[in-house]
Amino acid sequence: MSTAHQEDLSSYVLRRMKEGGFDFSRIHPIEFYAIFPDEERARRAAGKFCGESLNAQINVRDDGAWNLELSKVMYATYGGIGDFEQDFEAVVVPLGGIIEGWGVKQEVRGLLN
């Protein structure tokens, strides 16, 4: 995916989050996704990201490829997400992986009251 396209997509997603009332003043786990052809490469990529604000999950897909979901606790800012996407891509692509984007789960308040 081209950097310009990814920047446009990130701008769109962040704008939609703002419209939905997302709390940008707090840190959140931001998930970054990639697909690998095998488990070994997915684990090698996950191993490059260690730290107390990071969490990696790897699982096999129905088609035999492997998903990597890497969560980074951070502020949801355009610059912060873009910077981490570049670091993520620099690890994923040389290992034969494909970047699948990013996302964040938003808390919905008041639905269970």
Side-chain angles (χ1 to χ4, degrees), residues 41-102:
R41 288 189 251 190
R43 291 198 182 281
R44 281 180 39 205
K48 299 284 186 181
F49 297 95
C50 299
E52 64 184 52
S53 65
L54 294 166
N55 179 37
Q57 295 182 12
I58 299 168
N59 55 56
V60 67
R61 296 168 26 131
D62 291 338
D63 64 2
W66 286 78
N67 284 322
L68 167 60
E69 179 182 315
L70 186 72
S71 294
K72 178 171 175 51
V73 177
M74 60 189 290
Y75 289 101
T77 65
Y78 183 79
I81 289 168
D83 289 347
F84 190 79
E85 279 183 310
Q86 288 180 350
D87 295 343
F88 192 54
E89 185 174 7
V91 169
V92 169
V93 172
L95 291 171
I98 299 169
I99 302 293
E100 284 286 297
W102 64 271

